[in-house]
Amino acid sequence: MKKIGLFSCFGLSALLAAAALAQTPPSAAPPTLPTDPAALLQLGSKVNGLHGPGLNPWHVRASWQILDDKGQPLHHGTYEEWWAADDEFKVDLVADGFHQIRWATAQGDFTSGDPGWPAWVFTFVQNTLLDPLPDGGGSSDTRLKFESTSRPTPSGVCVLAGEKHEKRVTGKFCFTDGKAAIRLNAGAVTQANFDGIMEFHDRFLARAVHLLRVGMPAIEMYLDAVDDLVPAPGEFNPPANAVAAPPWAHVPKGMIIGKRLSGEDLFYPSRTERQRGYTVIELWGVIGLDGRLRNAEIIGAPAELQQQAPATMKTWRFEVSKLNGVPIEAAASIMIEIETL
């Protein structure tokens, strides 16, 4: 079993040149994208989303909906955040029959409203707004290359990612506008398309994102508002009825997500017409203090695997996650690669 985070970046390692963020006069030629794929991914991870140094306090609001196979809405909700620092922000989450407010403070995270962990769709929206192409760290097993042999151009380029010893492509990242603005992030089971790119605080944000998932309903997200914030005194102080909660948004440094220790494996039904190959499913769930996976949701998987996954996941046991050495509950994205026979 292999585990990676959603929208992981497969070994980004090069340094970002400050000149890539400079504003270009209309009469000047568009800035040149890096000609090394690792450098392009590193640049993209820094200039897309609301994260990193140099940000002033901000406020953002987005709406989302889950669509059936005919494009009709199944569920909908909103995500709203007021941010001043990584340990000073408030998030308001609304969905069908669910409303929860979360605060991050120097003393820890707090929550009020409906109890429990938010659904995975909120994690997708949060990642898309804040960190759609996070730096996954260097990896000696990562192979990166441009989709074609031609050099990157201001009109756009795609980077393909995979393991060095495998021919299979496990990720595709496309950029446009000559400034490494992301327009596509595709993995084994998901494909996110970014449209209506805008700039805010020298960062790129998409006004609309469409997420396609293998065997699952699609998700659409729309950026309703983004603006500067002047925090009022006490704006990020949780109310007296708020209760302590494990971190959910802006996972802090020092958190270690537990690995799977035991349990049954998922298997693909044997079919004589199916050639040997690989299929991937992605799950999301909460690893509890007892090592069990709770609130599990399937992000993307063929129908045959969706049927057996719920019972199989009940047998899994994980290492308990830790924050600065202290055991905590933690939400995790789990990707499982299965060899088909």
Side-chain angles (χ1 to χ4, degrees):
M1 181 182 72
K2 298 182 179 180
K3 301 196 296 181
I4 61 175
L6 187 65
F7 302 108
S8 60
C9 292
F10 305 96
L12 314 183
S13 59
L15 296 177
L16 166 66
L21 292 179
Q23 295 292 328
T24 303
S27 59
T32 302
L33 293 176
T35 57
D36 174 74
L40 177 56
L41 287 180
Q42 182 68 19
L43 172 59
S45 72
K46 292 188 176 183
V47 300
N48 288 281
L50 294 170
H51 72 285
L55 283 174
N56 295 322
W58 48 261
H59 159 257
V60 67
R61 185 182 188 277
S63 54
W64 55 265
Q65 57 182 354
I66 299 176
L67 308 177
D68 63 17
D69 56 1
K70 296 181 180 179
Q72 298 301 310
L74 292 172
H75 307 287
H76 67 278
T78 60
Y79 176 105
E80 191 163 14
E81 180 167 351
W82 299 260
W83 179 93
D86 285 344
D87 61 355
E88 192 176 21
F89 62 85
K90 179 175 71 173
V91 180
D92 192 333
L93 309 172
V94 179
D96 304 318
F98 179 86
H99 185 197
Q100 185 180 94
I101 303 177
R102 286 182 167 255
W103 292 264
T105 72
Q107 291 72 44
D109 281 26
F110 297 86
T111 183
S112 69
D114 289 318
W117 287 79
W120 172 79
V121 63
F122 287 112
T123 300
F124 160 69
V125 174
Q126 178 207 25
N127 286 346
T128 301
L129 291 172
L130 275 56
D131 216 358
L133 195 64
D135 189 340
S139 172
S140 59
D141 295 327
T142 301
R143 171 177 51 84
L144 298 172
K145 66 177 182 178
F146 289 115
E147 188 172 33
S148 67
T149 56
S150 61
R151 294 170 60 87
T153 67
S155 62
V157 66
C158 295
V159 175
L160 304 180
E163 297 184 7
K164 283 187 175 179
H165 305 295
E166 296 281 353
K167 294 183 179 180
R168 293 177 295 118
V169 173
T170 56
K172 180 177 179 179
F173 311 94
C174 297
F175 304 90
T176 190
D177 291 343
K179 297 181 181 179
I182 188 170
R183 60 184 175 87
L184 182 142
N185 185 336
V189 295
T190 61
Q191 175 178 309
N193 298 287
F194 298 75
D195 298 313
I197 302 299
M198 61 171 289
E199 289 190 58
F200 178 77
H201 286 199
D202 292 327
R203 307 298 200 277
F204 294 110
L205 300 172
R207 292 184 175 88
V209 180
H210 187 67
L211 182 72
L212 302 175
R213 305 184 290 166
V214 171
M216 305 294 293
I219 299 176
E220 288 185 345
M221 190 203 82
Y222 302 96
L223 180 61
D224 299 323
V226 59
D227 44 59
D228 291 305
L229 174 69
V230 179
E235 181 166 346
F236 300 105
N237 295 336
N241 64 346
V243 298
W248 170 73
H250 306 269
V251 175
K253 294 180 180 179
M255 177 180 285
I256 300 175
I257 301 296
K259 298 179 180 180
R260 194 186 120 183
L261 299 174
S262 63
E264 299 175 5
D265 292 327
L266 288 167
F267 65 93
Y268 213 106
S270 297
R271 292 182 177 179
T272 56
E273 71 272 16
R274 183 178 295 277
Q275 296 180 345
R276 178 178 294 274
Y278 293 87
T279 189
V280 174
I281 71 169
E282 189 167 0
L283 313 166
W284 181 93
V286 177
I287 301 174
L289 294 176
D290 58 359
R292 296 175 184 267
L293 187 67
R294 299 185 290 102
N295 295 33
E297 298 182 47
I298 299 174
I299 296 174
E304 297 93 328
L305 295 177
Q306 291 181 39
Q307 295 173 5
Q308 62 172 287
T312 302
M313 288 186 290
K314 291 180 180 179
T315 70
W316 293 351
R317 298 296 180 272
F318 293 79
E319 290 180 340
V320 178
S321 304
K322 294 182 179 179
L323 176 59
N324 298 323
V326 179
I328 62 167
E329 287 189 344
S333 177
I334 303 167
M335 187 169 286
I336 304 173
E337 186 178 78
I338 301 171
E339 185 175 8
T340 61
L341 303 177

